[in-house]
Amino acid sequence: MPIRLVIVDGHTLIRYGLRELVAQQADMEIVAECGSAAEAPHVLAAYRPDVVTVDVSLPDGDGLQLARELRDRHAELGIVILTGKDQDDVLFRALETGVSAFVPKTAPVQELLAAIRHAAVAASSFTATGLALALSRRNSVRAQLALSARESEVLHLLHDGLSIPAIANTMFISQSTAKTYVSRLYEKLGAGNRAQALMTALRQGLIQFDYDVPVHGRTSGSVNPAAAAIALSSTARQSTPAA
């Protein structure tokens, strides 16, 4: 039996291109398609595909958030993330989400087809052509940053939204010492404020993206790393250094 495929992508031309590509393959068929995160769960429930391709940036939400929800509901479903953002932080978010494959839209056609076939038979294992190089780059950056245990603790407390006084209380240190740790951390990350520090830390894998961070009262769908970092930074701003 051919691989039953559903396409979730907000771009009409991308869906058309995938239809044309899959039509040339004897071992796969597109059974349905949709253009939004809201439609996807209903389409999958109705057509029960073997594999779904999901654009990382959907018109009404975050494709990786959708992928995480689909993985929670359908353990055997193959999930292939397609992205126009060939960036290491997006790749690592995909890996953490539990998808089957990650493919840049600039990748060769055969790479996409191979990812779909992989997802159909090994939904719980992850494949991405650039994974080894991305891991090497991340390890290299981590070695250069070389955060101390205290700096790493401060970073995670900033990620949790704590103010400098709260960080001082949590770590049993003075506020001036807490400010010094934050300043050193910002310097190592090349950041001028909390949002920049968290964005750099997210990109380098020093902290994990939290899908449940509230952004202007929301906790679902359209949250992205930048919005989460900005939301976290706004919970407790300090004058020197900014926190």
Side-chain angles (χ1 to χ4, degrees):
M1 291 180 61
I3 299 168
R4 292 168 54 80
L5 181 67
V6 164
I7 301 170
V8 182
D9 198 298
H11 298 92
T12 303
L13 287 178
I14 295 295
R15 297 200 304 271
Y16 173 80
L18 287 173
R19 285 200 305 271
E20 292 297 303
L21 175 62
V22 171
Q24 302 172 33
Q25 313 306 312
D27 62 338
M28 59 182 73
E29 63 177 352
I30 293 175
V31 295
E33 62 183 68
C34 63
S36 69
E39 297 174 275
H42 305 291
V43 172
L44 265 69
Y47 290 91
R48 298 183 179 278
D50 302 306
V51 177
V52 57
T53 65
V54 179
D55 185 12
V56 74
S57 299
L58 294 169
D60 62 339
D62 183 342
L64 288 174
Q65 171 69 11
L66 171 63
R68 181 183 179 180
E69 294 170 358
L70 294 178
R71 171 57 68 234
D72 290 342
R73 296 177 187 176
H74 309 283
E76 303 302 319
L77 176 66
I79 304 174
V80 178
I81 291 293
L82 300 182
T83 176
K85 304 173 183 178
D86 189 9
Q87 300 172 351
D88 290 354
D89 58 320
V90 181
L91 188 157
F92 288 125
R93 282 185 63 208
L95 174 60
E96 293 164 3
T97 299
V99 303
S100 313
F102 175 91
V103 183
K105 290 182 178 179
T106 55
V109 166
Q110 292 305 317
E111 183 177 331
L112 172 57
L113 294 174
I116 293 172
R117 292 181 176 115
H118 164 85
V121 298
S124 61
S125 67
F126 180 78
T127 183
T129 299
L131 180 58
L133 287 175
L135 285 169
S136 177
R137 286 191 292 268
R138 185 168 77 171
N139 291 336
S140 175
V141 170
R142 282 182 173 179
Q144 292 173 8
L145 291 174
L147 298 184
S148 69
R150 282 300 220 183
E151 289 165 345
S152 181
E153 184 179 0
V154 168
L155 175 60
H156 283 85
L157 292 174
L158 289 173
H159 178 239
D160 290 340
L162 272 66
S163 64
I164 284 181
I167 289 173
N169 290 335
T170 300
M171 298 178 67
F172 302 102
I173 57 179
S174 68
Q175 289 192 34
S176 61
T177 301
K179 287 182 179 180
T180 298
Y181 278 128
V182 172
S183 294
R184 288 176 181 173
L185 179 64
Y186 286 2
E187 183 177 356
K188 283 190 175 182
L189 295 176
N193 55 48
R194 180 188 297 242
Q196 292 174 3
L198 292 177
M199 281 300 300
T200 299
L202 284 164
R203 283 196 297 269
Q204 304 306 333
L206 298 173
I207 54 176
Q208 291 189 352
F209 176 63
D210 184 354
Y211 288 92
D212 297 322
V213 170
V215 179
H216 301 306
R218 300 195 316 273
T219 57
S220 62
S222 60
V223 179
N224 57 56
I230 293 170
L232 286 166
S233 70
S234 68
T235 61
R237 295 183 185 278
Q238 298 294 314
S239 57
T240 308

